[in-house]
Amino acid sequence: MTQSGFDTDRPVRLGVQLAPQHHDSYQVIRDAVSRLEDMGVDILFNWDHFFPLSGDPDGTHFEGWSMLAAWAEQTERVEFAALVNCNSYRNADLQADMARTIDHISKKGGETGRFIFGTGSGWFERDYTEYGYEFGTAGQRLDALAEALPRIESRWAQLNPEPTRDIPILIGGAGEQKTLRLVARHADIWHSFVSPDELPHKLEVLSRWADKEQRDTSTLVLSNELGRRDEAEARKLHDAGVRLFTHGVSGPDIDFDSVQRWLDWRDGING
């Protein structure tokens, strides 16, 4: 049964996370972005890390935010974001200004830009230690994200020119004490890896936080990772209310066939 109380009226969208790792050159990523947009992907994601997350830990890797600005200029239709930004690496007001600028770069012909501000508290210790950031604890990083999000939203209201739209905020994670409260307070999209069996409980927790925050969750889009899931499990997530599905691809050999398979599934679900 479809979960009530969340934004389930919109059609299913497919986001592809193009991992910026193990590519021989940036040209491979540039070509992949064009191909994925032409294939009909709805959203393109990268990630905000400094080293590969799988395969050779010292393999080739490119920085995410610079890449997002390039995607803003390169693409015409697709929305795009980091999945997700690490709040720890940049001052909150700077993050807001970077997001606003990329939003404007991506405004081409349409009325608004296409940038989504995907963010989280950070977790990959090597990023922190090698680039000189304090790793701290998971709780401290979440507290820092809680402090940053109001500053980001406030800075967006002060910038000249202002963003082309209310930039959608995607928050990733499923922690019940802090993350889901931040989702209820700030997010337009909640992204997680939660299984179909776990999702109803998480949505109950999220609904309780939304009540405390006086948040109308009918505007909140549920997002989930396809990963190793098959179509049957994806359908269960859809029945539970998920409307944005993300599928990851990586170098050195980008699996476009798997993307097409999920695009076909999306189109079948949408009828």
Side-chain angles (χ1 to χ4, degrees):
M1 181 178 295
T2 299
Q3 175 72 30
S4 62
F6 297 90
D7 186 352
T8 58
D9 292 334
R10 68 178 62 230
V12 168
R13 293 185 294 167
L14 179 68
V16 171
Q17 185 178 41
L18 178 56
Q21 63 178 13
H22 306 311
H23 301 287
D24 292 338
S25 70
Y26 183 73
Q27 183 64 47
V28 176
I29 297 175
R30 183 184 295 115
D31 292 345
V33 166
S34 294
R35 182 170 175 178
L36 291 166
E37 184 173 38
D38 289 345
M39 289 174 70
V41 168
D42 297 294
I43 304 175
L44 286 173
F45 295 102
N46 62 8
W47 64 40
D48 189 21
H49 295 288
F50 307 132
F51 302 96
L53 299 185
S54 61
D56 179 1
D58 296 315
T60 57
H61 196 278
F62 293 97
E63 192 275 325
W65 271 90
S66 303
M67 188 181 301
L68 292 172
W71 290 4
E73 187 62 46
Q74 176 185 350
T75 58
E76 299 289 337
R77 173 195 58 80
V78 72
E79 290 189 295
F80 58 97
L83 191 65
V84 288
N85 167 66
C86 179
N87 176 69
S88 305
Y89 303 155
R90 301 161 195 90
N91 169 281
D93 294 87
L94 174 61
Q95 293 178 57
D97 205 341
M98 292 166 67
R100 180 282 310 256
T101 299
I102 291 175
D103 166 65
H104 274 267
I105 294 170
S106 69
K107 183 179 182 296
K108 296 182 179 179
E111 296 182 356
T112 66
R114 295 169 284 114
F115 180 71
I116 296 170
F117 184 67
T119 195
S121 59
W123 62 272
F124 191 43
E125 188 170 4
R126 185 183 180 189
D127 285 346
Y128 286 79
T129 56
E130 294 212 23
Y131 275 58
Y133 298 106
E134 182 179 353
F135 188 55
T137 67
Q140 289 170 333
R141 295 192 298 276
L142 280 165
D143 290 343
L145 179 62
E147 294 173 3
L149 283 165
R151 286 177 56 189
I152 290 166
E153 293 165 337
S154 175
R155 180 56 59 185
W156 280 337
Q158 300 174 58
L159 288 169
N160 184 15
E162 64 187 7
T164 69
R165 63 175 178 172
D166 291 334
I167 296 175
I169 295 174
L170 178 154
I171 295 177
E176 297 181 10
Q177 297 305 311
K178 293 186 177 183
T179 302
L180 292 185
R181 184 166 197 173
L182 292 177
V183 170
R185 186 178 296 167
H186 298 284
D188 301 283
I189 305 168
W190 171 49
H191 181 77
S192 77
F193 298 82
V194 173
S195 72
D197 291 340
E198 297 174 301
L199 191 55
H201 167 71
K202 294 292 185 180
L203 293 179
E204 288 179 7
V205 174
L206 182 52
S207 294
R208 291 198 295 270
W209 281 125
D211 288 343
K212 291 183 179 180
E213 296 291 334
Q214 298 183 321
R215 162 70 187 276
D216 177 8
T217 59
S218 67
T219 62
L220 181 64
V221 176
L222 306 181
S223 173
N224 204 295
E225 165 67 28
L226 289 166
R228 297 182 178 87
R229 304 189 200 281
D230 59 18
E231 286 85 348
E233 193 169 12
R235 185 56 189 254
K236 290 179 181 178
L237 288 169
H238 175 268
D239 291 345
V242 174
R243 291 297 179 269
L244 172 59
F245 292 84
T246 65
H247 173 61
V249 296
S250 178
D253 298 312
I254 300 171
D255 185 359
F256 292 103
D257 289 342
S258 67
V259 174
Q260 187 60 57
R261 178 169 66 89
W262 285 114
L263 284 169
D264 292 343
W265 179 83
R266 176 202 66 185
D267 295 343
I269 288 287
N270 289 334

